[in-house]
Amino acid sequence: PRLQAGTKLARGHRRRARESNDRAGGGAAGQLEPLESGSDGKALWLCYCDQVLLSGSGTDHASYVCSLRVGTHRPKLRVLRMDESIKSCPPPDIRDCLFQLHPKLDDAPKHAAEMEERMEKAKRKTAGEPLQFGSEVQLFHANTRSYLSCTNECAQGDSRLVQLTLGPSSHTSIFRILPAFKISRIGDNIEYRAALFLRSQTHNLSVHVSELGPQLMEEEMQLSHRYVSSILELSGSTYEHSALRLCPYRRATTAGFLSGCVVSLFHTEAESYLVANSRLGVGKNRVFLKEKLDVDDTDLTCLWRVEAEQVRWGGLPLASGSPVRLRHLRTGQYLAAKEQGTVYMTDEYVEPSTLWV
């Protein structure tokens, strides 16, 4: 059971853990050893350059901060609340929810090429180093290759709040990580899934999860996946702040054949690739083998993305026998099989029929 902040039991636990850590000669005073390890056997400290999912809730309710594209407009930052009846329901597209924790650049250069070069040097220098409460970071959105940033515009759902967006690296994209509860303090290593606040020092505001207006909610729900129960807005507030959680996806130092890799499935005996297309309309994609001679390097119909069954640590190397899902890169649907052996495409990605070994 988690310890309530400020209780005598919690303070005693911290003191005993600190004394035990000092006797063992490990770490600085005040740093708690994590209660568990990740599936790679390493301690659950949050590190620079790790890839994480930003949960938009202070509870264990499945919700994810993601970029949502509506029509031809630029992507909007939204919080997707998933169906409560599905345990640990993954987001519709994991790529829209992945953020990498980049270090802060003291003096951001004006030219994009110079900024990218300096950021790569800073990442190589800090990758794998544990983050502490009080650290300043930039949250790099992998799919759009842009940073979580503050704007001077009002939020769409509440004019008292500030709109957040995805933009280039600048002083507006720097956020300080603060503990949400008194059980942690500035200077402590950050454990994965620890409740925290993200605060912009330049705008003097905190990241906040707020309601969308009824009309916007209805419009965006029509375009979302059926596993999404509601959509909220990620905004900035000077008077309110939401407890967030950084959930582990991939270590900065992870290498190998990883979940998220794009592959093609080649049948050696038939000398053909497994492909899918949408000639039959949306939701009726057919799956078939296409001869090797008919496939070129630009053919997206034969490309599949491998996704781990679990979202937590979902970006680690795939071991032999691990259950995975195969998402078609062009249609976004998943490869599934019926009991009779028939192969088909589906949007119902949490169904057991979509798991392959």
Side-chain angles (χ1 to χ4, degrees):
R2 291 190 176 275
L3 301 177
Q4 294 296 324
T7 63
K8 292 182 179 179
L9 181 61
R11 291 195 292 271
H13 174 73
R14 288 193 56 158
R15 186 181 63 255
R16 289 191 297 273
R18 186 162 56 247
E19 291 170 355
S20 175
N21 195 28
D22 291 342
R23 286 195 299 270
Q31 294 179 357
L32 294 176
E33 287 295 324
L35 301 179
E36 59 175 323
S37 296
S39 37
D40 59 352
K42 297 182 180 179
L44 274 176
W45 298 137
L46 190 67
C47 298
Y48 281 105
C49 300
D50 285 357
Q51 281 192 345
V52 298
L53 294 128
L54 184 58
S55 176
S57 172
T59 67
D60 290 332
H61 182 80
S63 62
Y64 307 95
V65 175
C66 78
S67 65
L68 187 65
R69 185 178 291 276
V70 181
T72 58
H73 301 286
R74 65 182 182 182
K76 301 176 181 179
L77 284 168
R78 294 291 185 259
V79 179
L80 303 183
R81 281 189 176 170
M82 309 306 295
D83 190 343
E84 295 184 22
S85 64
I86 303 173
K87 184 179 179 181
S88 303
C89 183
D93 193 338
I94 194 73
R95 296 178 307 171
D96 293 334
C97 306
L98 289 180
F99 290 86
Q100 191 175 35
L101 301 170
H102 284 187
K104 178 189 75 169
L105 294 180
D106 294 330
D107 298 314
K110 296 181 180 180
H111 301 291
E114 184 182 353
M115 188 278 294
E116 187 173 350
E117 182 181 354
R118 286 187 55 186
M119 179 58 74
E120 287 300 320
K121 289 182 180 179
K123 286 165 57 180
R124 286 194 296 268
K125 183 178 179 181
T126 59
E129 293 183 4
L131 277 162
Q132 290 85 33
F133 283 112
S135 300
E136 291 183 323
V137 297
Q138 298 182 89
L139 281 81
F140 178 74
H141 189 253
N143 199 26
T144 59
R145 302 194 62 79
S146 53
Y147 292 87
L148 176 67
S149 307
C150 300
T151 69
N152 294 321
E153 302 175 14
C154 295
Q156 292 182 288
D158 190 338
S159 59
R160 298 172 300 173
L161 304 176
V162 175
Q163 189 177 40
L164 300 183
T165 188
L166 294 169
S169 175
S170 68
H171 64 281
T172 64
S173 62
I174 299 172
F175 291 87
R176 193 180 186 209
I177 305 177
L178 300 174
F181 303 114
K182 292 181 180 179
I183 193 172
S184 300
R185 60 186 180 188
I186 300 297
D188 285 352
N189 283 357
I190 305 173
E191 186 181 346
Y192 272 114
R193 291 188 60 80
L196 51 85
F197 298 137
L198 291 175
R199 185 163 185 82
S200 171
Q201 300 298 99
T202 57
H203 282 67
N204 192 29
L205 53 81
S206 298
V207 175
H208 179 57
V209 179
S210 55
E211 299 287 341
L212 274 174
Q215 184 176 353
L216 278 174
M217 169 77 80
E218 183 178 356
E219 291 176 0
E220 296 185 7
M221 283 295 294
Q222 291 177 355
L223 302 174
S224 65
H225 197 278
R226 77 173 192 89
Y227 291 152
V228 178
S229 60
S230 62
I231 301 178
L232 304 174
E233 184 175 13
L234 193 72
S235 56
S237 174
T238 56
Y239 58 92
E240 287 184 286
H241 43 248
S242 300
L244 306 172
R245 296 181 189 272
L246 297 178
C247 304
Y249 181 76
R250 181 182 299 168
R251 289 277 188 188
T253 54
T254 301
F257 181 66
L258 309 174
S259 172
C261 290
V262 177
V263 300
S264 57
L265 304 177
F266 183 71
H267 193 286
T268 54
E269 185 177 352
E271 294 190 349
S272 301
Y273 288 96
L274 184 69
V275 302
N277 65 19
S278 54
R279 294 176 183 174
L280 302 180
V282 178
K284 299 181 180 180
N285 297 303
R286 62 191 187 102
V287 187
F288 58 94
L289 290 174
K290 190 174 184 179
E291 291 187 4
K292 180 180 179 180
L293 296 176
D294 297 330
V295 176
D296 57 31
D297 295 337
T298 61
D299 194 346
L300 297 180
T301 60
C302 67
L303 296 181
W304 306 79
R305 190 168 76 241
V306 183
E307 296 181 359
E309 179 186 10
Q310 300 295 331
V311 172
R312 184 176 180 271
W313 295 112
L316 291 181
L318 294 170
S320 177
S322 300
V324 298
R325 295 184 177 92
L326 297 171
R327 180 175 182 137
H328 193 242
L329 205 64
R330 184 172 184 177
T331 64
Q333 291 189 311
Y334 288 82
L335 185 67
K338 297 179 180 179
E339 293 182 359
Q340 301 84 353
T342 307
V343 179
Y344 66 101
M345 304 295 291
T346 180
D347 290 314
E348 314 297 324
Y349 56 87
V350 298
E351 296 297 325
S353 59
T354 61
L355 291 177
W356 301 80
V357 176

